[in-house]
């Protein structure tokens, strides 16, 4: 067992550290993240362009698209250094991590130049139109339709929970193009500019903060989308969707590890019950890192295992949720009023510099839903790892 990186990976890390020392703006670590994931502050756009131009935005991408063709281990140490400095990877994460990545995988050269490169540079922002009111976690149950009419698709339907849509320039939208086909086979993916007639975006508040507008309802009423905006072959959207959600799969667990480290640093247990809970969470954090490191090593050797990623996603998201819940309980009633009262007003032993525990607990539910709910992850684990029959 090798518990260290090879010299080439450490040199890659050292090169990135030198780049950060030379170029990192002061705002990168201290700048407050906007409530909308479709909104990139001007300083962050400038920083994203610098990362893009030097190949440090998404190192695994090809040169010319914000990367340098880095391998999985190099991508891992890149994330590790960003986390060590508390730097946001991106202010439009679905844009660079999912939508631009999908364009690079499934798009034509014209589509890559038209949308992927500008999204990665920060010139455009993008949102992901998957969930619908009657098909939240079941993409195959979507009802938004796109009917071919000459050189356009006419789109009608609704999406919901579309993060950042009201600030986004384009939407990667999954639509039904063949209602007669089996539900997994009649789906297509369209890039829909948000300024087209018939696109209506309605942001709505979350329970965490009524002033934090990120979620959206998006309505399509006779929207005429050029057929050239089709991403991948018609009726092959299921393949595009699986690719979209899988682009950052191998390293998704690292974001949960960083959040868990932050929660544990701010949570100071008092008494045997809290200390026992803290110890369990610390063990969860260590298990997540060890299992994740093993998965990264397998991926580097070409042994990609999607089911193993479900274990990491389930472990990481639920450990963060448990840590938030235990810290909230330790903070006591003073942590519950929201949004004006935070943990610093509580008489309990909670770090005064930490954000409100109530908000952190409520936000933890997003991790157990986005990217495949915990229930879906358990089903994948049951069927593909444990070999249990389909229920």
């Amino acid at each position: 067992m090798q518990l260290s990186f090879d010299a080439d990976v450490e040199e890659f890390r050292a090169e990135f550290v030198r780049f950060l020392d030379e170029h990192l703006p002061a705002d990168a670590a201290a700048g407050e993240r906007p409530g909308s994931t479709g909104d990139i502050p001007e300083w962050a756009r400038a920083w994203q362009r610098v990362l893009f131009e030097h190949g440090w935005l998404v190192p695994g991408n090809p040169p010319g698209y914000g990367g340098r063709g880095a391998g999985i281990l190099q991508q891992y140490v890149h994330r590790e250094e960003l986390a060590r400095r508390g730097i946001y990877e991106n202010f439009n994460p679905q844009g660079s991590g999912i939508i631009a990545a999908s364009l690079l995988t499934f798009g034509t050269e014209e589509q890559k130049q038209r949308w992927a490169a500008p999204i990665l540079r920060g010139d455009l922002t993008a949102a992901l139109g998957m969930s619908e009111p009657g098909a939240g976690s079941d993409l195959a149950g979507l009802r938004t339709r796109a009917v071919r009419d000459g050189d356009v698709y006419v789109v009608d339907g609704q999406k919901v929970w579309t993060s950042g849509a009201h600030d986004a320039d384009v939407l990667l939208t999954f639509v039904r193009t063949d209602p007669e086909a089996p539900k997994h086979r009649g789906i297509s993916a369209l890039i829909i500019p948000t300024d087209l007639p018939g696109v209506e975006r309605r942001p709505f508040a979350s329970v965490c903060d009524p002033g934090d507008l990120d979620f959206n309802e998006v309505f399509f009423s006779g929207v005429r989308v050029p057929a050239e905006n089709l991403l991948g072959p018609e009726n092959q959207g299921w393949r595009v969707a699986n690719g979209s959600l899988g682009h950052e799969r191998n390293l998704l667990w690292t974001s949960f590890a960083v959040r868990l480290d932050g929660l544990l640093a701010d949570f100071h247990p008092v008494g045997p019950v809290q200390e026992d809970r803290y110890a369990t969470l610390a063990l969860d954090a260590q298990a997540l890192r060890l299992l994740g490191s093993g998965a990264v090593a397998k991926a580097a050797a070409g042994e990609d295992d999607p089911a193993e990623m479900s274990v990491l996603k389930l472990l990481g998201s639920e450990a963060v949720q448990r840590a938030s819940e235990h810290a909230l309980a330790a903070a006591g009633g003073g942590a519950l009023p929201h949004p004006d009262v935070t943990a610093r007003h509580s008489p309990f032993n909670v770090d005064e510099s930490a954000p409100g525990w109530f908000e952190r607990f409520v936000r933890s539910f997003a991790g157990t839903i986005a990217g495949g709910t915990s229930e879906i992850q358990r089903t994948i684990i049951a069927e593909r790892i444990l070999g249990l029959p389909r229920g």
Side-chain angles (χ1 to χ4, degrees):
M1 178 182 293
Q2 180 179 336
L3 298 178
S4 60
F5 294 106
D6 291 335
D8 62 325
V9 177
E10 289 300 345
E11 176 52 36
F12 183 89
R13 184 203 300 273
E15 183 182 354
F16 184 46
V17 168
R18 289 193 295 269
F19 168 82
L20 291 176
D21 289 341
E22 182 178 348
H23 294 92
L24 184 66
D27 290 333
E32 184 176 350
R33 191 177 191 126
S36 167
T37 53
D39 178 21
I40 307 178
E42 283 308 311
W43 72 263
R45 286 182 189 268
W47 170 231
Q48 185 168 327
R49 290 188 195 105
V50 171
L51 288 166
F52 176 89
E53 290 164 1
H54 288 80
W56 290 116
L57 180 67
V58 185
N61 282 0
Y65 289 99
R68 49 185 60 204
I72 188 70
L73 295 178
Q74 293 169 321
Q75 294 173 55
Y76 175 79
V77 297
H78 173 266
R79 283 201 176 194
E80 199 171 51
E81 290 305 318
L82 290 175
R84 184 168 293 158
R85 298 185 184 222
I87 303 169
Y88 288 123
E89 291 180 52
N90 198 284
F91 283 76
N92 180 220
Q94 67 271 26
S96 62
I98 297 177
I99 297 158
S102 298
L103 283 159
L104 293 179
T105 301
F106 300 101
T108 64
E109 286 304 313
E110 191 276 335
Q111 289 174 334
K112 294 175 186 178
Q113 290 296 321
R114 183 180 176 189
W115 290 307
I119 289 170
L120 291 164
R121 280 197 305 267
D123 298 334
L124 296 177
T125 57
L128 183 64
M130 277 190 171
S131 296
E132 297 187 3
S137 297
D138 178 20
L139 176 66
L142 67 83
R143 297 180 182 178
T144 296
R145 290 195 177 189
V147 178
R148 185 72 180 256
D149 179 19
D151 60 357
V152 301
Y153 287 95
V154 182
V155 180
D156 291 276
Q158 178 187 356
K159 298 293 179 179
V160 73
W161 311 112
T162 313
S163 297
H166 61 300
D167 289 315
D169 298 296
V170 295
L171 306 171
L172 173 56
T173 309
F174 290 86
V175 296
R176 188 161 299 285
T177 43
D178 186 355
E180 304 302 321
K183 62 181 186 177
H184 292 82
R185 298 180 184 175
I187 296 172
S188 298
L190 289 172
I191 298 291
I192 302 181
T194 56
D195 60 359
L196 287 179
V199 177
E200 181 182 1
R201 297 162 287 168
R202 298 181 188 172
F204 59 90
S206 71
V207 69
C208 300
D209 186 346
D212 180 2
L213 297 180
D214 190 33
F215 294 136
N216 278 251
E217 294 178 295
V218 182
F219 298 88
F220 304 97
S221 302
V223 182
R224 299 180 68 81
V225 182
E228 64 189 20
N229 291 21
L230 179 70
L231 180 59
E234 186 175 274
N235 298 324
Q236 294 297 311
W238 186 256
R239 180 166 165 257
V240 176
N242 284 330
S244 298
L245 295 176
H247 280 298
E248 290 193 308
R249 182 180 61 212
N250 286 319
L251 295 175
L252 176 63
W253 64 271
T254 61
S255 63
F256 293 118
V258 170
R259 291 176 63 191
L260 196 53
D261 287 345
L263 285 162
L264 290 170
D266 292 336
F267 174 26
H268 305 299
V270 176
V273 173
Q274 291 184 24
E275 289 171 355
D276 180 71
R277 290 173 175 171
Y278 181 91
T280 299
L281 294 169
L283 289 172
D284 284 344
Q286 184 68 2
L288 180 63
R289 289 192 180 280
L290 290 173
L291 289 171
S293 297
V296 168
K298 288 182 181 179
E303 302 174 18
D304 194 9
D305 185 355
E308 189 173 27
M309 296 306 110
S310 290
V311 173
L312 289 167
K313 201 272 184 181
L314 181 66
L315 172 60
S317 63
E318 296 201 345
V320 167
Q321 192 169 92
R322 282 193 300 273
S324 305
E325 181 181 14
H326 293 330
L328 177 62
L336 291 175
H338 183 75
D340 297 322
V341 180
T342 65
R344 64 172 55 92
H345 299 295
S346 170
F348 293 84
N349 190 17
V350 176
D351 188 340
E352 292 186 353
S353 66
W357 288 111
F358 175 78
E359 179 179 350
R360 295 172 89 171
F361 171 62
V362 174
R363 286 186 183 279
S364 72
F365 284 86
T368 61
I369 297 172
T373 64
S374 288
E375 290 77 13
I376 288 175
Q377 306 306 328
R378 285 188 168 87
T379 298
I380 293 172
I381 293 166
E383 293 177 358
R384 300 185 188 178
I385 295 180
L386 301 179
L388 298 178
R390 289 179 176 267

